[in-house]
Amino acid sequence: MNIDTLPPGPALAGRHLLLGVTGGVAGFKVAELARELQRQGATVQVVMTEAATRFVTPVTFQALTGRPVFTDQWDARIDDNMAHIALSREADAMIIAPASADFLAKLAHGLADDLLSTMCVARECPLLVAPAMNRQMWGNPATRRNVELLRADGVTFLGPTSGDQACGETGMGRMLEPDELAELTVAFFAPKHLRGQRVLLTAGPTFEPIDPVRGITNLSSGKMGFAIARACRHAGADVTLVAGPTTLPTPAGVERIDVRTAQQMHDAVMGALDAPGPRHTIFIAVAAVADWRVANYSASKIKKTGDDSLPELRFAQNPDILASVARRPDAPWCVGFAAESDDLEKNGQDKRRRKNVPLLVANIGHATFGRDDNELLLIDADGIRKLPRAGKDVLAAALVEEIAARMSGAGRPVTAGR
Ligand code: C5P
């Protein structure tokens, strides 16, 4: 097999992030954020305000990031004693988390009376802030004015959200969770390959009932499909995700339609395509759809009989959702998936032609269900391209780039012409 490879990396690989921590009880969660950003491939340099060190010690962040933490404008560890310039010049972005009401006020007015605020004024890179404060402080007219000023200055707000607050009250001003902040940071940096596109996806298994308490399903976890939905969103697309039964959380900013059976999945997909409004431009069928449903569904629970007689199940064919979408005169650009056990390349190419789709993605090996990593073969009219083993989130971002390149007509430098 003649294949081309590309080395996918984590979403924030090569990024250097400056994590500014200001005084707020949410600071303890930022230790987790520092870890998550590093897990995504970023290097993280922490700078804290004096107040922040009252909540979490610099030692915590130093241990987690493997870098000294700076708090003082007069820190002599930087050769020319210009910490504010030296540190901010290296950064691809500054993230302030938690961002207190006081710090937002300073930022809005360009005050520079400590190391972190001076760095914000001296920076050349984008600034992202994750506010965290009591609901009254968030609602205060001065804070509202400051938020508007900062938005107008091009500062990106990550939250806040509404919920329980450390003070015991409930309301707006709670900092987003570390995984949400990390996801928004990944989205911030993701190339907007799919800006202006509307993507419809299916993901997860289906469940075909036998009677009210039993059914037939499969081992699909939905992880690959959900990762692709998330990556499409990060790439700037409007995303609708039709999901079979799974407990996975909905990716931020994605519209989700939950279904159970293949027929419901089919109807939801057709409903989305027929809905008024701008048309979907891409359809990605990731779901492991049951080929058959039980034709003699029993409305009451099938009981064991006293003798040894066994229930008889009869099956009916389910609609092929992908093929039906690809047949439509207004068909979006279609991507299919395949979980073949042998002769992946030939069977994949046959399936691609049979379903009449420009791109078929084959899982290499069958033990991918439920795992967090995968290995993919992309099969199109020009040949085969391999995405080597990586996390499903990494592969999803690479796949989005591959789809965008093919849609733009740029093609890919595929080696195996056929
Ligand atoms: O024919 P097979 O099930 O192997 O094809 C797999 C591809 O077709 C996947 O993209 C899957 O989501 C899609 N499919 C579908 N509806 C079906 C069966 C498969 O959309 N009933």
Side-chain angles (χ1 to χ4, degrees), residues 137-387:
M137 296 171 82
W138 179 250
N140 182 284
T143 307
R144 310 268 25 95
R145 279 196 302 277
N146 292 334
V147 169
E148 284 319 306
L149 283 174
L150 289 168
R151 285 210 168 103
D153 285 347
V155 173
T156 299
F157 276 77
L158 312 178
T161 185
S162 182
D164 292 343
Q165 305 199 310
C167 51
E169 297 179 1
T170 302
M172 197 63 175
R174 185 187 154 96
M175 192 177 78
L176 292 179
E177 294 303 317
D179 57 335
E180 296 172 299
L181 292 175
E183 177 165 355
L184 289 173
T185 307
V186 168
F188 178 82
F189 280 110
K192 299 294 173 261
H193 291 305
L194 297 184
R195 183 173 279 136
Q197 304 286 352
R198 294 194 75 215
V199 180
L200 179 64
L201 298 103
T202 63
T206 63
F207 179 91
E208 306 298 328
I210 296 172
D211 68 18
V213 295
R214 302 184 180 94
I216 298 171
T217 186
N218 58 63
L219 290 174
S220 168
S221 65
K223 284 181 182 172
M224 192 70 230
F226 275 58
I228 296 170
R230 182 177 290 115
C232 289
R233 181 71 194 140
H234 290 176
D238 269 351
V239 182
T240 308
L241 173 62
V242 180
T246 155
T247 52
L248 294 176
T250 310
V254 166
E255 186 199 340
R256 171 173 179 171
I257 304 170
D258 282 314
V259 296
R260 213 152 79 110
T261 67
Q263 186 64 52
Q264 289 168 356
M265 187 173 274
H266 171 274
D267 296 349
V269 165
M270 296 307 160
L273 292 175
D274 290 333
R279 61 183 280 271
H280 287 90
T281 52
I282 302 174
F283 177 60
I284 312 177
V286 199
V289 186
D291 292 311
W292 309 285
R293 66 180 172 276
V294 177
N296 56 338
Y297 170 79
S298 167
S300 48
K301 186 182 169 195
I302 302 171
K303 291 204 174 309
K304 270 189 283 191
T305 52
D307 57 33
D308 286 342
S309 67
L310 299 171
E312 294 235 337
L313 294 183
R314 281 184 290 106
F315 290 94
Q317 188 84 29
N318 273 328
D320 188 318
I321 304 167
L322 175 58
S324 316
V325 172
R327 263 198 307 270
R328 288 171 64 109
D330 63 346
W333 205 87
C334 289
V335 182
F337 266 70
E340 296 287 337
S341 36
D342 21 58
D343 207 351
L344 208 55
E345 196 179 336
K346 180 180 176 308
N347 287 333
Q349 199 58 277
D350 288 349
K351 183 169 293 187
R352 189 186 72 76
R353 290 202 193 91
R354 207 168 51 244
K355 303 230 180 195
N356 190 28
V357 296
L359 179 62
L360 191 103
V361 183
N363 294 298
I364 302 177
H366 3 106
T368 166
F369 284 152
R371 291 179 61 124
D372 289 323
D373 63 351
N374 205 355
E375 209 176 352
L376 301 175
L377 265 197
L378 310 190
I379 305 174
D380 69 10
D382 292 327
I384 306 282
R385 187 178 177 85
K386 184 181 178 184
L387 299 185

